[in-house]
Amino acid sequence: MTLAAMTAAASQLDGASSDDIEIASSLAAVEYISDGCLVDGPVGLVGLELEAHCFDPADPYRRPSWDEITEVLEWLSPLPGGSVVSVEPGGAVELSGPPTDDVLAAIGAMTRDQKVLRSALADAGLGLAFLGADPLRPPVRVNPGARYRAMEQFFYASHSGATGAAMMTSTASIQINVDAGPRAGWAARVRLAHALGPTMIAIAANSPMLGGQFSGWQSTRQRVWGRMDAARCGPILGASGDHPGIDWARYALKAPVMMVRSPDAQDTCAVTHYVPFTDWADGRVLLGDRRPTVTDLEYHLTTLFPPVRPRRWLEIRYLDSAPDEVWPAVVFTLVTLLDDPAAADLAVDAVEPVAKAWDAAARIGLGDRRLHLAANRCLAIAAQRVPAELTDAMQRLIDNVDRGVCPADEFSDRVIECGIAPAVARMVRGGP
């Protein structure tokens, strides 16, 4: 990553790590972020991250403890597909796959790792529910990490405690990582990644409940994230979207600092008053009695959660966690519409009328006529390119969308049929 304006300063610090360099100003921070947030190169690599809520199927109201979950996970490395396993604040389990050569390889690796993870949890009497929001239990943090404790304190200090707690402990997603692509196409690629958001949310919506009640939204996960501070969780695009690196830098500097780590990284403290990073960078405010370093800036970037996040690659963060029957087809569709040039050109036209319909997508999903049309058009584009291994999953997804049905509808039907806890228990045990 280029240090730009700070490189000269680095050369003057004998033996100092670049991470220890003090940021001279907000202008230097902007240059650092914009120079390094995307990497010029071909498209093709794909990485997946899948989150799922951990349940005890014998008692779905009970939230398994940190010790219960981590005792299972400590024996799982390495997984056959190369995923790293981690535990989210509320006990959700995340599989983070490595970059693979194409989307089919990424799906195959993640499927293998899911199978191993499920088997290990089942042996311990636990299981996973691939839903965008926990339908049953109140928000409770079980991960004792200092980062999550500080996040909790920050949200309560900023009067978003309930929403922040739900976001941290009750939501789960599919995250798709793709190459930034050639520099000349960055602006169009980032615009399309955002524009696809509402349509893909409508297709994959899978969180109709939260805390034991129907929310009235198909993607309650998106509703929760939409209620967070837009300076931290809103889209990064500027007015034109022509300069994604600059857009991301401006977004990051306007966002308030959430937490500060000690110089030895042994502790993390919440910032409980409003301090935009630009004020820290320019010395108007000192946090921890000091100016920020490159390490502080990099850490600040990890506390920002826009729907599309530049991390040298693009991290697509807006999809609900979804069941095995459809998630491979959802992933294939989104990656194809971004990475296949002909498909991308067609997708631009297909989603243009609903490119900013984030709330409608989360609330009524495919019940919106324009989103239904865009979803059908996008799936038709992807279906023309689907490999044989994914034909069945794609056909199921196409049939569902054609009928205006998303995973949230199917889960809702099961809840109405047998109740919330039995529906969750059946899902966790691998039933339909």
Side-chain angles (χ1 to χ4, degrees):
M1 188 178 290
T2 306
L3 288 180
M6 289 176 275
T7 302
S11 66
Q12 298 172 13
L13 299 177
D14 293 337
S17 163
S18 62
D19 289 350
D20 296 325
I21 298 171
E22 186 177 277
I23 294 174
S25 67
S26 58
L27 180 61
V30 166
E31 194 166 357
Y32 176 82
I33 296 169
S34 61
D35 279 359
C37 68
L38 296 174
V39 173
D40 186 16
V43 302
L45 294 180
V46 179
L48 300 179
E49 301 176 36
L50 267 65
E51 298 171 342
H53 304 284
C54 188
F55 280 92
D56 176 354
D59 182 6
Y61 290 94
R62 185 180 77 84
R63 189 179 292 270
S65 70
W66 169 257
D67 289 341
E68 283 180 273
I69 299 169
T70 55
E71 185 176 351
V72 176
L73 302 186
E74 66 179 329
W75 302 104
L76 281 183
S77 190
L79 287 168
S83 294
V84 174
V85 191
S86 59
V87 182
E88 295 297 296
V93 179
E94 179 179 74
L95 286 171
S96 300
T100 59
D101 290 337
D102 57 50
V103 65
L104 192 59
I107 291 169
M110 184 57 65
T111 300
R112 293 192 296 274
D113 289 349
Q114 274 188 305
K115 183 177 180 180
V116 174
L117 175 61
R118 279 188 167 122
S119 177
L121 287 168
D123 289 344
L126 302 175
L128 298 174
F130 288 85
L131 291 161
D134 187 328
L136 195 58
R137 303 169 300 191
V140 174
R141 178 172 63 89
V142 300
N143 188 322
R147 172 183 172 91
Y148 299 123
R149 183 186 66 242
M151 286 179 69
E152 201 171 56
Q153 293 168 348
F154 173 88
F155 288 133
Y156 277 103
S158 59
H159 306 292
S160 56
T163 303
M167 180 273 283
M168 288 174 60
T169 69
S170 299
T171 63
S173 69
I174 302 171
Q175 296 178 18
I176 302 176
N177 302 313
V178 294
D179 288 313
R183 181 183 298 272
W186 283 353
R189 186 165 172 79
V190 172
R191 282 197 298 268
L192 179 57
H194 282 82
L196 285 166
T199 299
M200 295 305 304
I201 287 169
I203 290 172
N206 190 33
S207 48
M209 304 186 70
L210 182 68
Q213 295 183 335
F214 283 103
S215 67
W217 291 60
Q218 296 286 63
S219 176
T220 307
R221 175 190 175 275
Q222 184 63 26
R223 180 195 187 195
V224 168
W225 283 82
R227 288 183 167 183
M228 299 296 294
D229 182 359
R232 185 174 305 279
C233 298
I236 67 171
L237 290 180
S240 68
D242 289 337
H243 303 286
I246 296 297
D247 287 345
W248 177 227
R250 288 173 174 166
Y251 182 106
L253 264 68
K254 288 180 181 178
V257 181
M258 176 181 277
M259 61 187 86
V260 176
R261 294 195 296 181
S262 61
D264 60 4
Q266 295 300 306
D267 195 18
T268 303
C269 296
V271 178
T272 55
H273 53 293
Y274 193 90
V275 181
F277 192 91
T278 187
D279 286 359
W280 192 16
D282 286 331
R284 287 189 287 271
V285 177
L286 299 182
L287 297 175
D289 296 322
R290 60 181 175 80
R291 299 281 290 270
T293 65
V294 171
T295 298
D296 292 316
L297 176 55
E298 290 283 3
Y299 195 65
H300 173 64
L301 295 178
T302 72
T303 70
L304 307 179
F305 310 110
V308 179
R309 183 164 67 176
R311 298 188 61 189
R312 298 171 65 84
W313 59 91
L314 295 181
E315 183 182 72
I316 314 298
R317 304 174 48 84
Y318 45 65
L319 294 174
D320 281 5
S321 184
D324 292 347
E325 294 81 6
V326 296
W327 77 255
V330 170
V331 168
F332 176 81
T333 297
L334 181 51
V335 174
T336 298
L337 297 179
L338 282 170
D339 282 4
D340 182 297
D345 287 343
L346 294 170
V348 169
D349 290 336
V351 301
E352 190 277 333
V354 291
K356 296 182 180 180
W358 296 90
D359 281 351
R363 188 174 65 253
I364 60 174
L366 298 172
D368 181 285
R369 181 184 58 80
R370 297 181 309 155
L371 284 164
H372 189 214
L373 176 61
N376 278 301
R377 291 181 65 185
C378 284
L379 289 180
I381 295 166
Q384 293 177 352
R385 297 158 173 84
V386 71
E389 297 90 332
L390 296 179
T391 299
D392 289 345
M394 179 62 77
Q395 190 59 56
R396 178 183 178 114
L397 188 62
I398 289 171
D399 290 344
N400 284 352
V401 170
D402 185 56
R403 294 185 294 117
V405 172
C406 65
D409 295 308
E410 296 181 323
F411 180 72
S412 296
D413 289 344
R414 289 195 293 273
V415 169
I416 293 169
E417 174 190 349
C418 64
I420 306 174
V424 169
R426 188 164 71 179
M427 173 179 284
V428 167
R429 292 189 177 107

